[in-house]
Amino acid sequence: MKKTNLVFFFLIFASQLLFSNIFSSYKKVSVVKTKYFDVIFPSNSTNTADKIIQNADNLFDCACEEFQLEKKFRMPIVITKDSDKFSAEYTPAPYNRIIIYDGIPAWNNPHEDKTLFILKKAIIEAVASSKKNKLMMKFNPIHIMKEFF
């Protein structure tokens, strides 16, 4: 039984190492912690990171209130320039995170802030997913590792 647990733990740990790479090459990154997020970004994405740092917690609070989520959680937001397209995505595998691809914006509407628009969409997706699937949150590899350490 202990061998099975050890193999299971190793597979979870290995999946994080294999599938969590976001940057295409080595970059020096900065990490800023907010109330709910760890914003990870390279130095050439400082402007985007500043907007996210200032607004992410408020957007998360609004989404949690809208979906009536009682238990709030922390999650990383990773900003990368490794794409030509300006977009964002929420992904629960191998752990919950939001990835912002800080490329060239697809539209130029001066009345809309594209960064906040795509961030809000990704945060709503993350909150809706965690509300819908509480079992997935319970077996998230990050939460399992916290129990061991």
Side-chain angles (χ1 to χ4, degrees), residues 88-111:
E89 69 180 7
Y90 161 74
T91 180
Y95 56 88
N96 293 336
R97 67 181 183 255
I98 294 174
I99 304 168
I100 308 274
Y101 296 100
D102 193 16
I104 300 168
W107 71 90
N108 281 330
N109 186 344
H111 302 292

Side-chain angles (χ1 to χ4, degrees), residues 48 80-87 101-108 114 118:
T48 303
T80 179
K81 287 271 193 190
D82 293 339
S83 176
D84 292 336
K85 183 179 175 187
F86 188 76
S87 64
Y101 296 100
D102 193 16
I104 300 168
W107 71 90
N108 281 330
K114 50 205 149 291
I118 66 167

Side-chain angles (χ1 to χ4, degrees), residues 27-45:
K27 291 181 173 61
K28 184 177 178 185
V29 296
S30 300
V31 179
V32 175
K33 295 182 182 289
T34 67
K35 186 175 179 183
Y36 303 115
F37 298 101
D38 296 330
V39 182
I40 305 164
F41 60 97
S43 60
N44 59 350
S45 291

